[in-house]
Amino acid sequence: MGIRRDERSGSSSVPRVLTSLPWVVVLLGVSLLTVLLLVALLSLRGPERQSAAPAPAPPIYLPTVAETTTSPAPTDAPLIAVDTTASPTVSASSTPSRRASSARPSASASAPATAAAPRTGALAARYQATASGRDYFEARLTVSNGSARGQDWRVELLFTGNVKGIQASSGSGLSVTSQGNGWFVLRGTDPLGAGQSAVVQMRFSRTGSGDRPGQCTVNGNACTIG
């Protein structure tokens, strides 16, 4: 009887061992697969990290600008004057042309500053504007002889073209002529005595504005204006 019990117990333990073997195989297989997966993941992450680093950018070359040097303009270059009233042809000659003595002297459009008084002993003239209206203005001209002898005198007044006519009066002999375009010539009919003065009252007709001449001379010397 005892022998049969052992045989039965031995025969029953064998199937239990056999039935537990598949689970062991499965666990070993799962562990092996897990190890293989971890190795594969680690081997893949290495190349990913290496490939993640960006490639260095190619060098950038900026275009270079050539330096330009400017040479200064020559100081001895001839100046070219343009006359708006003449023909558009410009002359480059440096020698001024001579004009006839009857040509109208040039005058600035703006009134000049007060000229310096002539030297002692010469004739002196002073022009002063005294009144002004819409189409006229009045002025006084004083001619003084500072020399020790009598002298003839000639005063030239040059205005812009807007001054059209003149009326003049004086206590001594006076001659007035117009050369046109605002150019008037006043002269004494008799010599002005030593140390004496002649006063001329004048009234000018005009269009526009302005009551000062662009040029005033007495026997070629500049007058005092103002």
Side-chain angles (χ1 to χ4, degrees):
M1 294 297 291
I3 299 171
R4 289 180 181 179
R5 289 180 180 177
D6 296 334
E7 292 178 352
R8 288 179 181 179
S9 60
S11 61
S12 61
S13 62
V14 172
R16 290 180 180 177
V17 173
L18 293 177
T19 55
S20 63
L21 287 177
W23 295 105
V24 173
V25 174
V26 170
L27 290 176
L28 292 175
V30 171
S31 301
L32 182 60
L33 290 177
T34 304
V35 172
L36 292 175
L37 288 175
L38 290 176
V39 172
L41 290 175
L42 292 176
S43 62
L44 290 177
R45 290 186 63 182
E48 287 180 358
R49 290 180 180 179
Q50 293 179 358
S51 62
I60 300 175
Y61 299 96
L62 297 177
T64 59
V65 180
E67 296 183 358
T68 58
T69 58
T70 57
S71 57
T75 57
D76 56 350
L79 299 178
I80 299 175
V82 178
D83 186 2
T84 57
T85 61
S87 60
T89 304
V90 179
S91 174
S93 174
S94 59
T95 304
S97 59
R98 297 179 179 272
R99 296 184 178 179
S101 59
S102 60
R104 182 178 187 269
S106 60
S108 174
S110 60
T114 303
R119 63 184 183 275
T120 304
L123 284 173
R126 183 182 183 88
Y127 174 93
Q128 292 176 293
T130 57
S132 180
R134 184 175 61 85
D135 56 357
Y136 76 94
F137 65 93
E138 296 179 355
R140 178 172 62 249
L141 178 68
T142 304
V143 181
S144 304
N145 182 9
S147 66
R149 59 182 179 85
Q151 296 190 60
D152 295 328
W153 60 271
R154 172 191 171 98
V155 172
E156 295 189 26
L157 297 174
L158 184 61
F159 297 89
T160 55
N162 65 324
V163 179
K164 303 301 182 182
I166 182 176
Q167 295 178 355
S169 62
S170 177
S172 57
L174 178 66
S175 172
V176 180
T177 57
S178 174
Q179 306 295 330
N181 295 327
W183 184 11
F184 303 101
V185 178
L186 297 85
R187 62 167 57 91
T189 56
D190 297 321
L192 185 62
Q196 295 183 358
S197 298
V199 179
V200 182
Q201 300 292 339
M202 299 171 292
R203 182 185 177 95
F204 297 90
S205 59
R206 68 178 177 189
T207 57
S209 61
D211 55 10
R212 294 161 65 97
Q215 181 175 326
C216 175
T217 59
V218 51
N219 289 5
N221 298 320
C223 306
T224 300
I225 300 176

